[in-house]
Each structure stands twice: as C-alpha cells, then as structure tokens.
Amino acid sequence: MPKTAPWNPTVLWSKPEAERTGTPLLVLFHGYLANEEDLMGLADYLPAEFTIASVRAPQALGPGYTWFPLMNEPDFSVQRVADAVSDVSDWLDSVKGVHSSVSLLGFSMGMAVASTLLRHRPADFAAVVGLSGFVVPAEGNPFFHDEDLAAGGVPFFWGRDQADPVIDAPRIEFTHAWLNEHTVLTKILYSNMGHGINMQELGHVKEFLTHLVLKA
C-alpha cells in the first residue's frame, strides 16, 4: 500500500536551524515507552560540534511511544521494524543535506532502530552508538543490506551492563555476533548500570564520536 504522506515526526533539536549548516548530525532514538525528551539530556555530555536531533517514535503506547511491537509480542515482525525504519530513513533524507555527516545513537529499542538504519543504508552513516540495546535478526527481509556492511568498516560503539535485566541472553548473543561480523566494534561493559546509561559510558561515547567522526 502506498504511503499517503511523508512521516513528519516530532523532533527536538540542539541547535536552531540557522546554526546547523555544515555541522555533523547525531540522531537520537529513544527506547520503549519513552519519548524524544528522554535522551535529549545527553546533549550536554556529547561533543558540542554536533547538531543533535532527538526523534519521537511513531506509535503512542502507555506513557510514551514505541517504534514497533516488542519482539516477544505476537504482532511483532521484522517487516514492522522495516516499515518504521523506512519512515525514519525518508525523514532523514529530508534533513541531512545541510550536514557534513550523519551518525546515529539509540538506547534499548532505539539501538535496534539505529542499527536497522545502518543495515538499510550501509554507506550513509559515519558512526553508530548503541546503548543497552540489541540488533534484530533480518530473517531474509530485503530491507536489510548486511552483505554491504561487512566490508564497509562502520565504527559501532556498544555499551551495556553484563547484568542488564531487560535485554535477554539470546538477543545479546545474536547482537554480539552480528556486530563483530558487520561493524568495527567498540564494546564496553559497565558494572551496576542496569538498563541505563552512566557518566563513565557518556565519557566513552564522547571520545568515540570525537575521534571517529570529528577527527576522521
């Protein structure tokens, strides 16, 4: 079924429109039942050179929003992930032209969004950051172009707590194997962080983005 209109998400920006031209763009994707405000507080701890855009997921649910159904829910499908990320990709095409590069950061389910964007458009992104999240199996869906990623060498930062109570072991094992095969992976484990983000991790993310995007 053809789309009736382009997706026009709610987005928080760290810089006014007049100050964005020529800056590297970092797009933030929040987790399940959160919203675009959830990650915007990270902006103060990330390199000031970036324009940061925090995007609200499309589906209202409970106290917040979701990108797609949870993987253990009966209405989950890889196609639902692809449909949501296709809309994000189209929106990104409408705003990225003024920027020097585009990088992605996703927390929890937002990491699945960020990594799926990378897999759909393997040549488009300077770096990807995934925090306490996971990668979805492609299951042969043509939306994913993983074969083009293996040789691409896109830097990927994956931070998590070994004892994260939310992301289960099978998803962690799949994610670890996939990232090792398809990206240049920086993986760091943090103690006593749970399903969250801590200051040590933010320091590492800032270093990662500085060295692999700003100084690349």
Side-chain angles (χ1 to χ4, degrees), residues 14-128:
S14 66
K15 299 182 190 296
E17 189 169 0
E19 297 177 13
R20 297 174 198 165
T21 298
T23 63
L25 176 63
L26 178 65
V27 187
L28 310 185
F29 302 105
H30 63 76
Y32 184 65
L33 303 186
N35 61 39
E36 71 282 2
E37 297 179 0
D38 186 55
L39 296 180
M40 205 58 191
L42 303 184
D44 290 343
Y45 303 97
L46 298 173
E49 292 90 339
F50 281 89
T51 292
I52 295 174
S54 187
V55 184
R56 178 191 292 178
Q59 302 170 35
L61 184 66
Y65 297 84
T66 187
W67 299 97
F68 49 83
L70 294 174
M71 291 180 70
N72 59 0
E73 293 179 340
D75 55 346
F76 171 84
S77 70
V78 173
Q79 189 57 48
R80 295 285 293 269
V81 180
D83 289 345
V85 173
S86 178
D87 286 341
V88 176
S89 183
D90 290 346
W91 165 79
L92 196 48
D93 282 345
S94 74
V95 300
K96 70 182 184 182
V98 302
H99 295 281
S100 57
S101 66
V102 181
S103 299
L104 310 172
L105 183 154
F107 171 76
S108 194
M109 180 185 279
M111 177 177 163
V113 175
S115 56
T116 299
L117 263 173
L118 173 66
R119 298 162 77 181
H120 180 55
R121 305 280 284 270
D124 282 17
F125 304 108
V128 182

Side-chain angles (χ1 to χ4, degrees), residues 154-207:
V154 177
F156 200 113
F157 179 97
W158 185 31
R160 55 179 289 268
D161 187 335
Q162 189 86 34
D164 186 326
V166 173
I167 311 301
D168 61 23
R171 279 188 290 176
I172 292 298
E173 290 168 9
F174 176 84
T175 298
H176 192 193
W178 187 91
L179 290 172
N180 271 327
E181 183 176 352
H182 294 94
T183 71
V184 179
L185 178 61
T186 299
K187 183 189 72 156
I188 304 181
L189 297 175
Y190 302 90
S191 300
N192 304 312
M193 185 173 72
H195 189 66
I197 302 168
N198 67 20
M199 293 302 298
Q200 183 186 25
E201 184 176 41
L202 285 175
H204 290 150
V205 171
K206 184 175 183 178
E207 290 175 10

Side-chain angles (χ1 to χ4, degrees), residues 24 50 101-103 126-127 208-216:
F50 281 89
S101 66
V102 181
S103 299
F208 174 84
L209 292 171
T210 297
H211 289 288
L212 292 170
V213 179
L214 299 181
K215 295 183 178 179

